[in-house]
Amino acid sequence: MADTIGIAGTGQIATGLAVAATRRGDVIVWARSEDSLERGRSRIEVVCKRLPEDDPADPSRVRYESDLEVMTQAEIVVEAIREDPTDKCELVQKMAPLVGPDTLLASTTSSLSVQQLADASGTPERFVGLHVFNPVPKMKLVELIFPPEATQSTRDRARKLCDELGKTVVEVPDTPGFVVNRLIFPAMFGAVQFQQESGLEAAAIDTCMQLGAGHPMGPLALLDYIGLDTAVAIGDAIGIAVPDDVREKVTAGHLGKKSGRGYYEYD
């Protein structure tokens, strides 16, 4: 029987991971409020309905809880809240004393220091950075990042989890943005700058990159999909210049697909 996985968070990454994890066993989703849990439940049900019949997920395997002590019932606990170092460190610091001594602790951070998060947990020997990609049920890559204190058991269990999720693992160094985000965000922000300079429509730039460079999604559509607020957080963490246009959209509440407007408008 597969270990129960506890996921703290109800955003796109958290719920996507929950959907993928139902293919291997039971899942507990935690959030601070009932409203957040309902949003998470809705997201999970929508994603499950959109999956192909030959690769389904089982939303009935997910429990929704607002008491953090529920994580005592999970053998693997994953922090998957927004990309804010203070919030993430505080949450792993709260969760670590609640869980058993053999519980694997993970974070889905996409850009932050895994060592810092591991130190905040107080148990770096069983901590791992589990950088999954959105949409989690479909994207095959997981970047694994281990602090030096991680035991061989931690490393083996993290790889086993990824295998059970059907993912391809690449172990990467604990550098800001790791590999994918370190390389792709300068290109996406470059597309924003180019749009400002050229006046081209977002769709024109994205079509050029899809058909000319073979990208599955254009850079501006991808920014919308990631979320412009998340993009700002990652850009700041990596230490690259975030275009003013992106920051202005975030200030205006235009966060991309999740808010209905970014570089495109959405229903």
Side-chain angles (χ1 to χ4, degrees), residues 6-23:
I7 300 172
T10 55
Q12 287 184 330
I13 292 296
T15 53
L17 180 59
V19 169
T22 66
R23 295 165 172 159

Side-chain angles (χ1 to χ4, degrees), residues 35-210:
D35 287 345
S36 292
L37 286 175
E38 280 308 307
R39 286 193 295 271
R41 187 195 306 271
S42 177
R43 288 190 182 111
I44 287 171
E45 290 175 353
V46 167
V47 172
C48 287
K49 288 177 181 177
R50 290 177 177 171
L51 292 175
E53 292 183 2
D54 61 349
D55 192 23
D58 185 357
S60 69
R61 284 181 160 175
V62 183
R63 287 171 49 199
Y64 301 88
E65 301 285 350
S66 58
D67 184 348
L68 193 58
E69 289 196 11
V70 72
M71 292 303 180
T72 60
Q73 301 172 31
E75 289 81 23
I76 300 170
V77 172
V78 184
E79 172 277 309
I81 62 172
R82 68 187 185 120
E83 195 74 351
D84 180 280
T86 301
D87 290 349
K88 283 179 174 287
C89 284
E90 286 180 356
L91 182 55
V92 297
Q93 192 173 37
K94 288 178 181 177
M95 290 194 301
L98 297 176
V99 301
D102 297 322
T103 301
L104 181 68
L105 295 169
S107 170
T108 60
T109 181
S110 56
S111 62
L112 302 175
S113 166
V114 170
Q115 184 69 65
Q116 181 182 8
L117 292 166
D119 288 344
S121 76
T123 56
E125 68 278 3
R126 53 192 172 105
F127 198 92
V128 59
L130 188 77
H131 182 204
V132 294
F133 291 81
N134 196 25
V136 184
K138 296 181 180 180
M139 298 292 280
K140 291 298 184 182
L141 178 66
V142 175
E143 291 180 330
L144 280 185
I145 310 97
F146 295 101
E149 300 92 337
T151 64
Q152 190 59 49
S153 174
T154 295
R155 296 169 185 271
D156 291 344
R157 290 180 68 194
R159 287 183 172 274
K160 181 173 182 284
L161 170 63
C162 293
D163 287 343
E164 292 173 347
L165 293 172
K167 306 301 184 184
T168 298
V169 169
V170 177
E171 186 173 336
V172 299
D174 188 10
T175 57
F178 314 125
V179 175
V180 174
N181 284 345
R182 184 71 171 266
L183 299 180
I184 201 170
F185 269 85
M188 288 191 293
F189 290 155
V192 173
Q193 294 287 82
F194 181 75
Q195 186 195 34
Q196 297 299 298
E197 296 166 5
S198 67
L200 274 176
E201 295 289 334
I205 294 172
D206 284 347
T207 297
C208 287
M209 295 307 294
Q210 287 177 281

